[in-house]
Amino acid sequence: MAENDLTLRMIPSLDRQLVFPLLEFVSMKQVYKAEDMLKAKFELLSNTNMVEFTGELYMQIHDTDSLPEDFAKRGVQVIKMLEESEQKTEHIRAVIENPEVVGSLRQDKLQNMKLLRENYQCTPEMVLELYKYGQLQYSCGNYGGCADMLFHFSILSTDPELTLSAMWGKLASEILLGNWEVAYEDMFKLKDTIDKTHFKTPGEQLQQRSWLLHWSLFVFFNHPKGRDGIIDTFMLPHYISTIQNACPWILRYLTAAVVTNRRRRAMMQDLVKIIEQVSHAYSDPITEFVESLYVDFDFDTAASKLEACEGVLERDFFLTGAVDDFVENARFFFAEVYCRVHKRIDMTGLAKRLNMKQEEAEKWIVKLIRDTRMDAKIDFKDNTVVMNPSYNPVYQQVIERTKALVFRSQVLNGAMDKRDSSAAKKDDKKQEQKQRGSGNKQSQQQQQQQQPKTGRRQQETVAVGGSY
């Protein structure tokens, strides 16, 4: 049951309160023992300020109706901390909730801080209290209040490290609240910030991207545009490198997204290359299905892996709602490749490989031929599908393969023409400069030659004047 479970691998890259829904799901699916799951939940939340909830877990673990005195004392301390933080942030919260102040804020954070300091007596220390208050509310399980405080802090703060931390906290709060539209926007803002930030070491940026890959799964598999978004994001070179080096198990979710999104079937070739590169580090029935189908063309293995995929998907927190879509589209890809390889297909054998009943498989194959416009005929007497492969003539194949060459040659010719024209312009400029330089030298020489002649004439006129 726990062989293909990724919960333990994903926990280090998730916030402890984001891990809790995963533990709830795994305990519901009975992947691990119930006693172990109760202890894991208690240890997970024992360092938070969710005193009442951890108290309930304690009573379930120890089978008792009473709690130690430490829980009551801790509850009083948490309430006191909340009251103190509320008082410290009362003034700045009143200021930033004023519509006039909100309308006067700009994108320049330094200018905003100057405005608040001069006109409303708000200091950077008060802004920092917003961050602390948001952290405290998140630790108590008040995710709505945390999201508000961290949003205001990220607008006003000039500290890049704390701003990045606040963006992480707000994203976690929106995920736990189920505000998928807001979380979708916050996730891409965080992605842009991570990509633009210059971290101290490359490893730190790799870690940030690895965290984002894990956190984004909550959003992508709950947002209407998530299956397109996960392909567009995870297929970027930086994030492919992150998957290969830090978290190869994320490849399961990228594979599931490509398979279930038939409109993006063109990405299958790129996905197959990534699966081949990462197969030495990670594999599961989902990735092995694609590899056996598109790399090995082993249809028996692909059929067995497709059957195993259903169990893996049902016990995966993020993919449990995509079981039917995955199986339907995986059958489509299987039948498409199978029909390309074989000229005559036994419908009974294909139905067994697709784990379908005979009648259901016949209807499904008819629909597949109609939708994909395959050149095929169904022979109901022999219970077979006869494929009529259409091969392009040799001349057409040569034309198609040389299209890219023609385009590349045009691009090269254009580049060469630009280079020649730029070189000619440079030569013309050099010649002009030389001509100007030679002209200047000639004029200078003429002036130098004329100067002594004029001097002699002046002396002659002086002599004549004297004699007169």
Side-chain angles (χ1 to χ4, degrees):
M1 292 287 287
E3 181 181 358
N4 293 308
D5 182 60
L6 297 179
T7 305
L8 297 178
R9 294 190 179 189
M10 300 181 74
I11 285 176
S13 299
L14 295 173
D15 180 80
R16 63 177 62 246
Q17 299 199 38
L18 289 177
V19 174
F20 184 79
L22 273 66
L23 297 183
E24 282 280 289
F25 177 82
V26 171
S27 61
M28 183 180 65
K29 293 293 182 180
Q30 298 179 355
V31 178
Y32 303 99
K33 294 181 180 180
E35 296 179 359
D36 295 339
M37 295 309 302
L38 280 174
K39 292 178 181 179
K41 293 176 188 177
F42 179 77
E43 292 178 1
L44 181 71
L45 301 178
S46 59
N47 292 328
T48 66
N49 290 319
M50 302 173 68
V51 181
E52 294 183 2
F53 190 74
T54 53
E56 294 176 0
L57 292 174
Y58 179 88
M59 290 189 290
Q60 292 179 16
I61 294 171
H62 297 279
D63 193 16
T64 181
D65 295 333
S66 60
L67 290 172
E69 295 181 358
D70 294 341
F71 282 87
K73 293 180 180 179
R74 190 174 174 188
V76 173
Q77 292 177 354
V78 171
I79 293 174
K80 184 178 179 181
M81 292 166 61
L82 286 171
E83 291 176 351
E84 291 177 355
S85 293
E86 187 176 1
Q87 292 177 358
K88 291 179 180 179
T89 58
E90 183 178 2
H91 174 68
I92 191 169
R93 284 189 290 111
V95 171
I96 59 180
E97 291 174 1
N98 187 349
E100 295 181 358
V101 177
V102 174
S104 60
L105 295 178
R106 298 292 181 265
Q107 293 183 353
D108 189 351
K109 292 185 177 182
L110 294 175
Q111 191 66 28
N112 292 337
M113 198 65 244
K114 182 179 179 181
L115 173 69
L116 294 177
R117 186 188 300 109
E118 294 178 353
N119 298 339
Y120 302 97
Q121 293 75 46
C122 293
T123 62
E125 289 75 14
M126 293 181 181
V127 176
L128 183 59
E129 289 297 329
L130 290 175
Y131 177 81
K132 295 179 180 179
Y133 190 31
Q135 275 189 320
L136 182 60
Q137 288 188 324
Y138 182 81
S139 181
C140 295
N142 183 12
Y143 305 118
C146 170
D148 292 338
M149 293 301 103
L150 295 182
F151 171 73
H152 293 309
F153 172 81
S154 61
I155 291 177
L156 300 175
S157 175
T158 56
D159 189 331
E161 293 184 2
L162 289 180
T163 302
L164 181 61
S165 176
M167 294 177 72
W168 281 108
K170 186 176 184 301
L171 176 59
S173 299
E174 300 295 352
I175 289 172
L176 293 168
L177 288 171
N179 296 333
W180 303 119
E181 288 291 341
V182 181
Y184 194 79
E185 296 177 0
D186 290 346
M187 180 188 64
F188 280 104
K189 290 179 182 177
L190 181 59
K191 172 185 169 298
D192 294 338
T193 303
I194 293 172
D195 292 340
K196 294 177 182 178
T197 302
H198 297 284
F199 293 93
K200 296 178 181 179
T201 60
E204 187 176 354
Q205 190 173 43
L206 180 68
Q207 185 183 52
Q208 292 281 330
R209 286 177 173 154
S210 177
W211 290 350
L212 184 63
L213 289 173
H214 288 80
W215 291 39
S216 64
L217 296 175
F218 291 92
V219 184
F220 284 135
F221 287 103
N222 286 282
H223 193 274
K225 300 179 181 178
R227 293 186 185 180
D228 287 324
I230 189 173
I231 296 173
D232 295 334
T233 303
F234 286 20
M235 280 293 189
L236 293 173
H238 294 310
Y239 290 91
I240 291 175
S241 177
T242 303
I243 291 173
Q244 292 173 340
N245 295 303
C247 48
W249 51 87
I250 294 294
L251 193 58
R252 169 189 292 186
Y253 303 101
L254 178 58
T255 304
V258 174
V259 172
T260 55
N261 195 345
R262 200 182 301 179
R263 293 183 296 103
R264 306 296 296 273
R265 57 189 297 183
M267 304 300 297
M268 183 61 75
Q269 294 181 354
D270 296 333
L271 176 65
V272 170
K273 293 178 183 178
I274 300 171
I275 290 175
E276 285 187 279
Q277 294 171 356
V278 184
S279 60
H280 70 281
Y282 175 79
S283 64
D284 60 27
I286 297 174
T287 61
E288 290 171 352
F289 165 74
V290 175
E291 187 175 11
S292 59
L293 183 62
Y294 285 95
V295 179
D296 302 328
F297 294 98
D298 187 348
F299 298 103
D300 292 331
T301 303
S304 63
K305 294 300 179 182
L306 177 57
E307 187 176 356
C309 285
E310 295 187 35
V312 176
L313 293 167
E314 288 176 354
R315 292 189 294 272
D316 191 287
F317 174 81
F318 299 103
L319 300 176
T320 186
V323 178
D324 295 337
D325 289 343
F326 182 90
V327 173
E328 177 68 20
N329 287 280
R331 286 172 176 170
F332 168 83
F333 287 113
F334 184 96
E336 184 182 33
V337 178
Y338 194 84
C339 292
R340 287 180 180 177
V341 174
H342 298 84
K343 292 184 178 180
R344 184 177 291 271
I345 301 167
D346 182 16
M347 295 179 68
T348 303
L350 182 59
K352 289 181 180 179
R353 285 186 171 90
L354 295 176
N355 194 21
M356 299 173 70
K357 296 180 180 179
Q358 182 69 27
E359 295 181 359
E360 183 184 0
E362 290 178 0
K363 295 179 182 179
W364 188 82
I365 292 171
V366 171
K367 185 176 182 298
L368 175 67
I369 294 173
R370 186 188 306 117
D371 293 343
T372 58
R373 297 179 180 179
M374 291 182 181
D375 189 4
K377 295 180 181 179
I378 300 176
D379 188 349
F380 289 101
K381 292 182 180 180
D382 297 336
N383 197 26
T384 58
V385 179
V386 181
M387 302 299 299
N388 297 321
S390 57
Y391 299 105
N392 290 331
V394 176
Y395 302 106
Q396 185 65 29
Q397 293 180 18
V398 172
I399 291 172
E400 290 181 356
R401 293 186 179 182
T402 55
K403 281 182 180 178
L405 295 177
V406 173
F407 176 74
R408 290 178 182 176
S409 62
Q410 291 177 353
V411 173
L412 289 173
N413 289 330
M416 291 175 66
D417 292 339
K418 289 182 180 179
R419 186 183 65 180
D420 294 339
S421 62
S422 61
K425 289 181 180 179
K426 289 181 180 179
D427 293 338
D428 293 340
K429 288 182 179 179
K430 289 181 179 179
Q431 289 179 359
E432 290 180 359
Q433 291 176 356
K434 289 180 179 179
Q435 291 177 357
R436 290 177 182 176
S438 61
N440 293 331
K441 288 181 179 179
Q442 291 178 359
S443 61
Q444 290 177 0
Q445 290 177 358
Q446 291 177 357
Q447 289 178 359
Q448 291 176 358
Q449 292 175 358
Q450 290 176 358
Q451 283 178 359
K453 291 181 180 180
T454 54
R456 290 176 183 175
R457 289 180 180 176
Q458 288 177 357
Q459 290 177 0
E460 290 178 355
T461 53
V462 171
V464 172
S467 61
Y468 178 77

